């Protein structure tokens, strides 16, 4: 998310990027951990969980819950298009988590990692023990607070700042987990290349993850990664 900030006003714009390619890579042993129960639920059942309506705060974001929300919200888009739903894959989830965390920690936004062993999507797939016939990656950065119209006024001083939408005059709070997942998928679906990945019939497996960090040195944000694959090892 790009932010141009002046003392009393700002502009919020999400940043998006997409990468898709055909790959061949050597496999490595799969992680031994199992998917969380959240991934065994249908999207409809998942979004009925009361914790999805709780708000993130300045002090805390449940990233595991948010990851699952991104996964299920993506599958809602597949369902709307009458496509097979994505199957959760732990290796893709770990890949997505690691890339989001690295972007947040090293303050960059790109598919190309500055870490040599993780430089490309192909490298990251190989390190995860995956060699799909086709794979893709979507990334984004969105603010933890609601974006509203994108133009807002800031009053007060940290940590008690108050954000107000200039157009609607609505106070902008922190997203709920369901709202944030919806905002992220709205941005991706409004971008043809990202939408193409989400609706790609060759992709059958998905891992999605978020990591919290600052963008442009000041904006409290969440770095997001979706990793897609056409096929994965049985184990």
């Amino acid at each position: 998310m790009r932010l141009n900030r002046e003392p009393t006003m700002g502009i919020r714009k999400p940043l998006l990027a997409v990468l898709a390619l055909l790959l061949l890579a050597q496999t490595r042993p799969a992680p031994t951990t199992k998917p969380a129960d959240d991934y065994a639920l249908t999207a409809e059942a998942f979004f009925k969980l009361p914790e999805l309506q709780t708000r993130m705060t300045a002090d805390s974001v449940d990233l595991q819950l948010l990851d699952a929300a991104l996964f299920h919200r993506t599958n809602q888009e597949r369902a709307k298009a009458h496509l097979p739903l994505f199957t959760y894959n732990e290796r893709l989830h770990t890949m997505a988590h690691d890339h989001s965390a690295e972007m947040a920690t090293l303050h960059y936004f790109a598919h190309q990692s500055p870490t040599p062993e993780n430089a490309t999507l192909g490298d990251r797939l190989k390190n995860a023990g995956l060699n799909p016939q086709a794979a893709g990656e979507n990334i984004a950065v969105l603010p933890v607070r609601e974006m509203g119209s994108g133009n807002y006024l800031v009053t007060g001083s940290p940590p008690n700042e108050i954000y107000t939408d200039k157009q609607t005059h609505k106070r902008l709070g922190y997203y709920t987990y369901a709202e944030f997942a919806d905002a992220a998928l709205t941005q991706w679906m409004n971008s043809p290349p990202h939408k193409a990945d989400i609706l790609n019939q060759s992709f059958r497996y998905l891992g999605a993850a978020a990591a919290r960090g600052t963008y442009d040195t000041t904006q409290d944000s969440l770095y997001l990664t979706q990793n897609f694959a056409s096929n994965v090892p049985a184990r």
Side-chain angles (χ1 to χ4, degrees):
M1 196 289 301
R2 190 178 301 279
L3 171 68
N4 298 324
R5 181 170 179 175
E6 298 179 5
T8 59
M9 64 180 292
I11 301 173
R12 297 175 183 226
K13 297 179 182 177
L15 286 182
L16 306 171
V18 62
L19 180 63
L21 61 156
L22 296 176
L23 299 130
L24 290 175
Q26 296 179 348
T27 60
R28 293 186 180 184
T32 57
T33 54
K34 296 182 181 296
D37 289 343
D38 286 341
Y39 295 97
L41 298 174
T42 64
E44 181 181 9
F46 176 78
F47 281 110
K48 287 181 179 177
L49 297 175
E51 52 265 43
L52 270 294
Q53 303 309 319
T54 61
R55 294 195 177 275
M56 297 180 275
T57 70
D59 300 321
S60 177
V61 173
D62 184 337
L63 293 175
Q64 290 185 343
L65 182 64
L66 184 56
D67 290 357
L70 292 168
F71 174 87
H72 286 297
R73 184 63 185 81
T74 304
N75 260 344
Q76 288 182 330
E77 296 298 335
R78 295 278 285 195
K80 289 178 189 177
H82 306 288
L83 295 173
L85 301 183
F86 285 120
T87 298
Y88 170 83
N89 182 262
E90 176 120 17
R91 297 193 202 190
L92 291 171
H93 186 189
T94 300
M95 275 181 58
H97 169 271
D98 290 350
H99 192 61
S100 290
E102 186 181 82
M103 288 192 293
T105 300
L106 300 183
H107 304 291
Y108 75 93
F109 178 73
H111 295 286
Q112 186 81 13
S113 167
T115 306
E117 61 269 26
N118 297 321
T120 67
L121 176 57
D123 293 328
R124 296 190 289 275
L125 285 161
K126 181 178 179 179
N127 293 339
L130 297 170
N131 79 351
Q133 293 176 325
E137 181 175 87
N138 287 344
I139 59 176
V141 184
L142 274 71
V144 183
R145 286 182 180 269
E146 297 169 299
M147 287 188 289
S149 67
N151 295 292
Y152 60 91
L153 297 174
V154 183
T155 56
S157 301
N160 300 311
E161 296 170 302
I162 296 173
Y163 291 72
T164 305
D165 191 298
K166 287 187 65 179
Q167 293 185 17
T168 65
H169 306 292
K170 175 187 173 183
R171 181 178 291 192
L172 300 175
Y174 287 92
Y175 283 108
T176 68
Y177 292 90
E179 288 171 345
F180 185 89
D182 187 67
L185 265 294
T186 296
Q187 296 296 332
W188 275 324
M189 292 299 289
N190 284 340
S191 166
H194 298 85
K195 180 179 180 178
D197 267 352
I198 291 167
L199 302 184
N200 189 325
Q201 296 188 54
S202 296
F203 296 156
R204 294 303 179 94
Y205 297 88
L206 170 66
R212 194 171 190 174
T214 56
Y215 183 77
D216 271 357
T217 72
T218 59
Q219 178 64 59
D220 185 13
S221 301
L222 286 159
Y223 289 75
L224 314 177
T225 304
Q226 289 179 311
N227 284 130
F228 308 90
S230 56
N231 56 290
V232 298
R235 293 194 174 192

